[in-house]
Protein backbone atom coordinates (compact mmCIF):
# COMPACT_ATOMS: atom_id res chain seq x y z
CA UNK A 1 0.00 0.00 0.00
CA UNK A 2 2.73 2.41 -0.93
CA UNK A 3 0.32 5.01 -2.28
CA UNK A 4 -1.64 5.52 0.94
CA UNK A 5 -1.38 9.16 1.87
CA UNK A 6 0.44 10.06 -1.35
CA UNK A 7 -1.21 12.62 -3.65
CA UNK A 8 -3.00 11.13 -6.64
CA UNK A 9 -1.92 12.28 -10.12
CA UNK A 10 -5.26 13.88 -11.11
CA UNK A 11 -6.38 17.17 -9.61
CA UNK A 12 -7.31 16.40 -6.00
CA UNK A 13 -9.71 19.37 -5.99
CA UNK A 14 -11.92 17.53 -8.50
CA UNK A 15 -11.82 14.14 -6.84
CA UNK A 16 -13.83 12.83 -3.92
CA UNK A 17 -11.79 11.78 -0.91
CA UNK A 18 -12.26 10.14 2.45
CA UNK A 19 -10.54 10.77 5.76
CA UNK A 20 -9.23 7.71 7.59
CA UNK A 21 -8.83 8.65 11.24
CA UNK A 22 -9.42 7.73 14.87
CA UNK A 23 -7.27 5.55 17.11
CA UNK A 24 -4.70 5.06 14.35
CA UNK A 25 -0.99 5.71 14.05
CA UNK A 26 -1.21 6.79 10.42
CA UNK A 27 -4.29 8.87 9.59
CA UNK A 28 -4.73 9.65 5.88
CA UNK A 29 -6.86 11.37 3.30
CA UNK A 30 -7.43 9.07 0.34
CA UNK A 31 -8.98 9.57 -3.08
CA UNK A 32 -10.66 6.77 -4.98
CA UNK A 33 -7.56 6.67 -7.19
CA UNK A 34 -5.37 6.15 -4.13
CA UNK A 35 -7.57 3.23 -3.09
CA UNK A 36 -7.43 1.76 -6.60
CA UNK A 37 -3.73 2.32 -7.32
CA UNK A 38 -2.32 1.61 -3.86
CA UNK A 39 -4.33 -1.44 -2.85
CA UNK A 40 -5.12 -4.91 -4.13
CA UNK A 41 -8.54 -4.84 -5.78
CA UNK A 42 -11.27 -7.39 -5.09
CA UNK A 43 -14.49 -8.01 -6.98
CA UNK A 44 -17.93 -8.59 -5.46
CA UNK A 45 -21.07 -9.49 -7.40
CA UNK A 46 -23.88 -8.61 -5.01
CA UNK A 47 -27.65 -8.67 -4.73
CA UNK A 48 -29.28 -6.71 -1.93
CA UNK A 49 -32.71 -5.32 -1.10
CA UNK A 50 -33.12 -1.56 -1.20
CA UNK A 51 -36.05 -0.25 0.87
CA UNK A 52 -36.96 2.37 -1.77
CA UNK A 53 -36.20 0.64 -5.08
CA UNK A 54 -36.30 -3.11 -4.44
CA UNK A 55 -33.64 -5.70 -5.32
CA UNK A 56 -30.35 -4.34 -6.63
CA UNK A 57 -27.72 -6.27 -8.60
CA UNK A 58 -24.27 -4.75 -8.96
CA UNK A 59 -20.63 -5.59 -9.46
CA UNK A 60 -18.25 -3.66 -7.22
CA UNK A 61 -14.46 -3.57 -7.27
CA UNK A 62 -12.15 -2.17 -4.63
CA UNK A 63 -9.83 -2.93 -1.75
CA UNK A 64 -10.90 -4.72 1.40
CA UNK A 65 -11.81 -2.31 4.18
CA UNK A 66 -9.64 -4.44 6.48
CA UNK A 67 -6.52 -3.86 4.33
CA UNK A 68 -7.04 -0.10 4.13
CA UNK A 69 -7.77 0.15 7.86
CA UNK A 70 -4.72 -1.96 8.76
CA UNK A 71 -2.51 0.36 6.69
CA UNK A 72 -3.61 3.19 9.01
CA UNK A 73 -1.96 1.25 11.88
CA UNK A 74 -4.87 0.87 14.33
CA UNK A 75 -3.74 1.29 17.91
CA UNK A 76 -4.46 -2.25 19.07
CA UNK A 77 -2.17 -5.14 19.83
CA UNK A 78 -2.49 -7.16 16.61
CA UNK A 79 -1.41 -10.33 18.42
CA UNK A 80 -4.23 -10.11 20.97
CA UNK A 81 -7.63 -11.11 19.56
CA UNK A 82 -9.51 -9.59 22.49
CA UNK A 83 -7.75 -6.27 21.92
CA UNK A 84 -8.75 -6.27 18.23
CA UNK A 85 -12.31 -7.29 19.07
CA UNK A 86 -12.94 -4.11 21.07
CA UNK A 87 -12.40 -1.93 17.97
CA UNK A 88 -15.11 -0.61 15.66
CA UNK A 89 -15.27 1.22 12.35
CA UNK A 90 -17.73 4.06 11.74
CA UNK A 91 -18.31 4.95 8.09
CA UNK A 92 -19.91 8.25 7.00
CA UNK A 93 -21.27 9.07 3.56
CA UNK A 94 -21.69 12.34 1.74
CA UNK A 95 -25.47 11.92 1.73
CA UNK A 96 -25.63 11.82 5.54
CA UNK A 97 -25.85 8.05 5.93
CA UNK A 98 -23.66 6.36 8.54
CA UNK A 99 -22.99 2.82 9.69
CA UNK A 100 -20.85 1.02 12.23
CA UNK A 101 -19.05 -2.29 11.86
CA UNK A 102 -17.27 -4.28 14.52
CA UNK A 103 -13.61 -4.93 13.72
CA UNK A 104 -14.35 -8.61 14.36
CA UNK A 105 -16.71 -8.66 11.34
CA UNK A 106 -13.81 -8.00 8.95
CA UNK A 107 -10.95 -9.61 10.92
CA UNK A 108 -9.63 -12.85 9.40
CA UNK A 109 -9.68 -14.55 12.83
CA UNK A 110 -13.37 -13.75 13.35
CA UNK A 111 -16.04 -13.03 10.68
CA UNK A 112 -13.61 -12.45 7.78
CA UNK A 113 -16.36 -10.60 5.84
CA UNK A 114 -15.03 -9.31 2.49
CA UNK A 115 -16.23 -5.72 3.04
CA UNK A 116 -15.01 -3.41 0.26
CA UNK A 117 -14.30 0.26 -0.20
CA UNK A 118 -15.48 0.20 -3.81
CA UNK A 119 -13.56 2.15 -6.44
CA UNK A 120 -15.72 0.91 -9.33
CA UNK A 121 -19.43 0.24 -9.67
CA UNK A 122 -20.60 -1.88 -12.62
CA UNK A 123 -17.32 -1.12 -14.43
CA UNK A 124 -17.48 2.66 -13.92
CA UNK A 125 -14.85 4.46 -11.87
CA UNK A 126 -16.12 6.24 -8.75
CA UNK A 127 -13.39 8.92 -8.72
CA UNK A 128 -15.86 11.82 -8.83
CA UNK A 129 -18.70 10.21 -6.85
CA UNK A 130 -16.54 8.82 -4.04
CA UNK A 131 -15.93 5.32 -2.82
CA UNK A 132 -18.76 3.11 -1.61
CA UNK A 133 -18.92 0.72 1.33
CA UNK A 134 -19.96 -2.73 0.11
CA UNK A 135 -21.02 -5.40 2.60
CA UNK A 136 -21.59 -8.51 0.44
CA UNK A 137 -22.79 -10.60 3.39
CA UNK A 138 -25.74 -8.25 4.03
CA UNK A 139 -29.15 -9.11 2.58
CA UNK A 140 -30.35 -5.49 2.76
CA UNK A 141 -28.53 -2.44 1.44
CA UNK A 142 -28.66 -0.27 4.55
CA UNK A 143 -24.88 -0.54 5.13
CA UNK A 144 -24.00 0.20 1.50
CA UNK A 145 -22.76 3.74 2.17
CA UNK A 146 -22.22 5.96 -0.90
CA UNK A 147 -19.74 8.80 -1.34
CA UNK A 148 -17.73 7.89 1.75
CA UNK A 149 -16.27 10.96 3.43
CA UNK A 150 -14.88 9.43 6.62
CA UNK A 151 -13.83 6.11 8.11
CA UNK A 152 -13.19 6.27 11.84
CA UNK A 153 -11.33 3.34 13.42
CA UNK A 154 -11.16 3.08 17.16
CA UNK A 155 -11.81 1.43 20.47
CA UNK A 156 -15.42 1.22 21.46
CA UNK A 157 -16.13 3.97 24.04
CA UNK A 158 -15.60 2.66 27.53
CA UNK A 159 -13.47 -0.27 26.29
CA UNK A 160 -10.11 1.36 26.86
Amino acid sequence: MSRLGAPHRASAAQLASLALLGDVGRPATLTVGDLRDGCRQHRAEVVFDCATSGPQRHVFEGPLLRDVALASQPLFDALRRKDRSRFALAVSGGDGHHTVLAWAEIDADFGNAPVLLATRLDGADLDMAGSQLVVPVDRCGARYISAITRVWVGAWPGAR
Side-chain angles (χ1 to χ4, degrees):
M1 300 247 293
S2 60
R3 300 231 3 132
L4 277 181
H8 190 63
R9 286 177 225 125
S11 170
Q14 299 174 3
L15 300 175
S17 64
L18 65 86
L20 182 59
L21 46 92
D23 295 337
V24 297
R26 192 172 162 203
T29 299
L30 304 168
T31 65
V32 173
D34 294 332
L35 293 171
R36 187 174 39 254
D37 296 343
C39 307
R40 181 172 171 234
Q41 302 295 289
H42 298 263
R43 180 182 169 98
E45 295 181 28
V46 299
V47 178
F48 59 87
D49 290 327
C50 176
T52 57
S53 54
Q56 300 289 305
R57 294 180 184 278
H58 294 288
V59 176
F60 291 97
E61 297 171 65
L64 293 174
L65 173 60
R66 173 182 61 230
D67 293 343
V68 175
L70 282 171
S72 72
Q73 299 173 353
L75 300 177
F76 53 59
D77 182 343
L79 300 177
R80 294 183 57 221
R81 291 181 182 132
K82 286 187 178 182
D83 199 34
R84 293 190 322 256
S85 71
R86 69 187 176 91
F87 267 61
L89 302 102
V91 180
S92 301
D95 59 0
H97 284 89
H98 310 279
T99 197
V100 176
L101 295 99
W103 184 271
E105 288 182 77
I106 63 171
D107 191 292
D109 284 339
F110 295 97
N112 201 26
V115 176
L116 300 181
L117 291 176
T119 61
R120 289 190 176 101
L121 166 60
D122 297 329
D125 289 341
L126 294 173
D127 293 78
M128 304 303 279
S131 60
Q132 182 163 340
L133 185 71
V134 178
V135 188
V137 298
D138 284 3
R139 191 179 57 86
C140 76
R143 295 198 299 175
Y144 281 66
I145 305 296
S146 299
I148 298 172
T149 57
R150 186 172 91 143
V151 177
W152 176 89
V153 180
W156 192 252
R160 294 180 191 261

